[in-house]
Amino acid sequence: GLPLTLLLSTLSIAMAFPLALLVALGRRSNLPAIRTLCTIYVELIRGVPLISVLFMASFMFPLFMPQGVKVDVLLRVLAGITLFAAAYMAEVIRGGLQAIPKGQVEAAASLGLSYWQTQRKIVLPQALRVIVPGLNSQYISLAKNSSLAVACGYSDLYSVAETTLNQSGRAVEVMLILLGAYLVLDL
């Protein structure tokens, strides 16, 4: 239960961060096609509940695969959670990018730095420092939401506690342990 929760949340955050960074930069792009594509992705994913994304990843995705090609359900769930987390993280990163004063970018342009040099050396280091609390909040939210993997057939922390409760009949002890585990995840 707990290892699956930690595995899903940690791997999905780690895999979502580069995608979220690219989407956040794309949302601020001067190229209308890239900006529109990134905006559609963020708004579409953020407008759909995670359970729907997991349902699509675990049950609908295999219908689009060629005959004989099978992808493990855990990988499909991980991909769904990663895409979901990337959309939310992109907004956190975009907020951090908007927090950087315009004078920083103008100073980089006056030094002759290219767009990517400006982003890599000036804007992103400052923005990433600003977004650490938001990323921490996203990780906590994702750790809690990873319990939705139960809908795809995996047992998470809550379903293991429920099974233990049904077998032992000790509701108070089981719920206190479950509460403590989620409390530790929030710290």
Side-chain angles (χ1 to χ4, degrees):
L2 183 60
L4 180 66
T5 299
L6 292 175
L7 175 79
L8 282 176
S9 57
T10 304
L11 282 178
S12 62
I13 281 286
M15 292 174 14
F17 185 76
L19 177 61
L21 186 61
L22 290 175
V23 170
L25 289 173
R27 293 231 21 210
R28 293 176 44 95
S29 174
N30 292 331
L31 302 172
I34 292 175
R35 186 176 55 241
T36 303
L37 209 70
C38 292
T39 301
I40 288 172
Y41 166 72
V42 168
E43 296 302 326
L44 181 70
I45 296 294
R46 289 184 69 202
V48 176
L50 177 58
I51 191 74
S52 299
V53 174
L54 292 178
F55 178 78
M56 293 292 289
S58 62
F59 299 115
M60 299 299 288
F61 181 72
L63 298 175
F64 298 107
M65 296 299 292
Q67 191 73 9
V69 175
K70 292 190 179 210
V71 179
D72 186 43
V73 177
L74 185 61
L75 290 177
R76 294 190 307 241
V77 167
L78 182 63
I81 292 174
T82 299
L83 291 174
F84 187 81
Y88 279 88
M89 286 175 57
E91 290 298 286
V92 172
I93 294 171
R94 187 171 67 94
L97 292 171
Q98 288 178 336
I100 304 305
K102 195 172 188 173
Q104 298 283 326
V105 177
E106 292 169 352
S110 70
L111 291 173
L113 296 178
S114 69
Y115 172 80
W116 291 109
Q117 287 175 327
T118 302
Q119 295 301 316
R120 187 172 47 96
K121 294 181 179 180
I122 295 173
V123 175
L124 287 177
Q126 294 178 58
L128 294 178
R129 193 174 311 126
V130 170
I131 65 170
V132 168
L135 291 180
N136 188 27
S137 176
Q138 285 297 316
Y139 178 76
I140 290 170
S141 176
L142 199 60
K144 292 177 185 175
N145 286 338
S146 65
S147 65
L148 293 174
V150 171
C152 303
Y154 284 98
S155 60
D156 73 326
L157 190 57
Y158 182 76
S159 62
V160 169
E162 187 177 33
T163 303
T164 305
L165 174 68
N166 291 336
Q167 290 176 354
S168 69
R170 297 180 158 197
V172 174
E173 293 91 348
V174 171
M175 289 302 148
L176 284 175
I177 290 171
L178 182 64
L179 175 73
Y182 276 117
L183 186 62
V184 168
L185 281 176
D186 282 346
L187 298 177

